[in-house]
Short mmCIF file of all heavy atoms in Angstrom, two decimals:
data_model
loop_
_atom_site.label_atom_id
_atom_site.label_comp_id
_atom_site.label_asym_id
_atom_site.label_seq_id
_atom_site.Cartn_x
_atom_site.Cartn_y
_atom_site.Cartn_z
N PRO A 17 14.20 5.31 -5.21
CA PRO A 17 13.14 5.38 -6.21
C PRO A 17 12.15 4.22 -6.12
O PRO A 17 10.96 4.42 -6.37
CB PRO A 17 13.87 5.38 -7.54
CG PRO A 17 15.29 5.11 -7.26
CD PRO A 17 15.52 5.27 -5.81
N LEU A 18 12.60 3.04 -5.75
CA LEU A 18 11.67 1.92 -5.61
C LEU A 18 10.70 2.13 -4.47
O LEU A 18 9.51 1.86 -4.57
CB LEU A 18 12.44 0.61 -5.42
CG LEU A 18 13.23 0.13 -6.61
CD1 LEU A 18 14.02 -1.12 -6.26
CD2 LEU A 18 12.33 -0.12 -7.80
N ARG A 19 11.22 2.66 -3.37
CA ARG A 19 10.33 2.94 -2.24
C ARG A 19 9.33 4.03 -2.60
O ARG A 19 8.15 3.94 -2.27
CB ARG A 19 11.15 3.36 -1.02
CG ARG A 19 10.31 3.29 0.27
CD ARG A 19 11.00 3.97 1.39
NE ARG A 19 10.64 5.35 1.17
CZ ARG A 19 11.26 6.43 1.63
NH1 ARG A 19 12.25 6.34 2.36
NH2 ARG A 19 10.89 7.62 1.37
N MET A 20 9.80 5.03 -3.31
CA MET A 20 8.92 6.13 -3.72
C MET A 20 7.82 5.62 -4.65
O MET A 20 6.68 6.06 -4.57
CB MET A 20 9.73 7.23 -4.40
CG MET A 20 10.64 7.97 -3.43
SD MET A 20 11.77 9.11 -4.24
CE MET A 20 10.68 10.10 -5.21
N ALA A 21 8.15 4.66 -5.52
CA ALA A 21 7.17 4.12 -6.46
C ALA A 21 6.09 3.32 -5.75
O ALA A 21 4.98 3.18 -6.25
CB ALA A 21 7.87 3.25 -7.49
N ARG A 22 6.42 2.80 -4.56
CA ARG A 22 5.46 2.00 -3.81
C ARG A 22 4.50 2.85 -2.99
O ARG A 22 3.55 2.31 -2.41
CB ARG A 22 6.20 1.02 -2.91
CG ARG A 22 6.93 -0.04 -3.67
CD ARG A 22 7.60 -1.02 -2.72
NE ARG A 22 8.48 -1.91 -3.45
CZ ARG A 22 9.81 -1.96 -3.29
NH1 ARG A 22 10.39 -1.21 -2.38
NH2 ARG A 22 10.54 -2.77 -4.00
N GLU A 23 4.74 4.12 -2.90
CA GLU A 23 3.85 4.98 -2.12
C GLU A 23 2.45 4.99 -2.73
O GLU A 23 2.29 4.81 -3.92
CB GLU A 23 4.38 6.41 -2.08
CG GLU A 23 5.63 6.58 -1.26
CD GLU A 23 6.14 8.01 -1.26
OE1 GLU A 23 5.55 8.85 -1.94
OE2 GLU A 23 7.14 8.25 -0.59
N SER A 24 1.47 5.22 -1.92
CA SER A 24 0.10 5.24 -2.42
C SER A 24 -0.11 6.38 -3.40
O SER A 24 0.56 7.40 -3.37
CB SER A 24 -0.88 5.37 -1.26
OG SER A 24 -0.77 6.66 -0.70
N ALA A 25 -1.06 6.19 -4.30
CA ALA A 25 -1.34 7.18 -5.34
C ALA A 25 -1.76 8.52 -4.72
O ALA A 25 -1.47 9.58 -5.26
CB ALA A 25 -2.42 6.68 -6.28
N SER A 26 -2.42 8.48 -3.58
CA SER A 26 -2.87 9.71 -2.94
C SER A 26 -1.70 10.54 -2.42
O SER A 26 -1.83 11.74 -2.23
CB SER A 26 -3.83 9.40 -1.80
OG SER A 26 -3.18 8.65 -0.80
N ALA A 27 -0.54 9.92 -2.24
CA ALA A 27 0.62 10.63 -1.72
C ALA A 27 1.49 11.19 -2.85
O ALA A 27 2.49 11.83 -2.58
CB ALA A 27 1.45 9.72 -0.84
N ARG A 28 1.13 10.95 -4.11
CA ARG A 28 1.95 11.39 -5.23
C ARG A 28 1.62 12.82 -5.62
O ARG A 28 0.59 13.10 -6.21
CB ARG A 28 1.76 10.47 -6.42
CG ARG A 28 2.29 9.10 -6.14
CD ARG A 28 2.18 8.22 -7.33
NE ARG A 28 2.64 6.90 -6.95
CZ ARG A 28 2.70 5.89 -7.78
NH1 ARG A 28 2.32 6.03 -9.02
NH2 ARG A 28 3.12 4.73 -7.37
N THR A 29 2.53 13.71 -5.24
CA THR A 29 2.38 15.12 -5.60
C THR A 29 3.73 15.67 -6.02
O THR A 29 4.77 15.13 -5.65
CB THR A 29 1.85 15.95 -4.42
OG1 THR A 29 2.73 15.81 -3.33
CG2 THR A 29 0.44 15.54 -4.01
N SER A 30 3.69 16.73 -6.81
CA SER A 30 4.94 17.37 -7.22
C SER A 30 5.50 18.18 -6.06
O SER A 30 4.85 18.34 -5.02
CB SER A 30 4.68 18.28 -8.43
OG SER A 30 3.87 19.37 -8.04
N GLU A 31 6.69 18.71 -6.24
CA GLU A 31 7.28 19.53 -5.18
C GLU A 31 6.43 20.76 -4.88
O GLU A 31 6.46 21.28 -3.78
CB GLU A 31 8.69 19.95 -5.58
CG GLU A 31 9.67 18.81 -5.55
CD GLU A 31 11.09 19.26 -5.88
OE1 GLU A 31 11.37 20.47 -5.83
OE2 GLU A 31 11.90 18.39 -6.21
N SER A 32 5.66 21.22 -5.89
CA SER A 32 4.81 22.40 -5.68
C SER A 32 3.46 22.02 -5.10
O SER A 32 2.62 22.89 -4.89
CB SER A 32 4.63 23.15 -6.99
OG SER A 32 4.02 22.33 -7.96
N GLY A 33 3.22 20.71 -4.86
CA GLY A 33 1.98 20.28 -4.24
C GLY A 33 0.90 19.86 -5.22
O GLY A 33 -0.18 19.47 -4.81
N LEU A 34 1.18 19.92 -6.53
CA LEU A 34 0.18 19.52 -7.51
C LEU A 34 0.14 18.00 -7.60
O LEU A 34 1.17 17.34 -7.51
CB LEU A 34 0.52 20.10 -8.88
CG LEU A 34 0.55 21.63 -8.96
CD1 LEU A 34 1.06 22.08 -10.31
CD2 LEU A 34 -0.84 22.19 -8.70
N PRO A 35 -1.06 17.43 -7.80
CA PRO A 35 -1.15 15.97 -7.88
C PRO A 35 -0.49 15.45 -9.16
O PRO A 35 -0.56 16.09 -10.21
CB PRO A 35 -2.65 15.70 -7.90
CG PRO A 35 -3.26 16.96 -8.39
CD PRO A 35 -2.36 18.08 -7.93
N ILE A 36 0.14 14.29 -9.05
CA ILE A 36 0.74 13.63 -10.21
C ILE A 36 -0.20 12.52 -10.63
O ILE A 36 -0.48 11.61 -9.83
CB ILE A 36 2.13 13.08 -9.89
CG1 ILE A 36 3.06 14.22 -9.53
CG2 ILE A 36 2.67 12.26 -11.05
CD1 ILE A 36 4.40 13.79 -9.02
N GLU A 37 -0.71 12.60 -11.86
CA GLU A 37 -1.65 11.60 -12.36
C GLU A 37 -1.10 10.99 -13.64
O GLU A 37 -0.41 11.65 -14.41
CB GLU A 37 -3.00 12.27 -12.63
CG GLU A 37 -3.62 12.86 -11.39
CD GLU A 37 -4.91 13.60 -11.67
OE1 GLU A 37 -5.35 13.62 -12.84
OE2 GLU A 37 -5.46 14.17 -10.73
N PRO A 38 -1.40 9.71 -13.87
CA PRO A 38 -0.89 9.07 -15.08
C PRO A 38 -1.51 9.68 -16.33
O PRO A 38 -2.67 10.08 -16.33
CB PRO A 38 -1.32 7.61 -14.92
CG PRO A 38 -2.42 7.62 -13.92
CD PRO A 38 -2.21 8.82 -13.06
#
Side-chain angles (χ1 to χ4, degrees):
L18 292 176
R19 195 192 83 200
M20 291 172 54
R22 292 183 190 116
E23 290 179 358
S24 69
S26 63
R28 294 184 183 181
T29 58
S30 67
E31 289 183 17
S32 60
L34 298 173
I36 297 173
E37 299 176 2

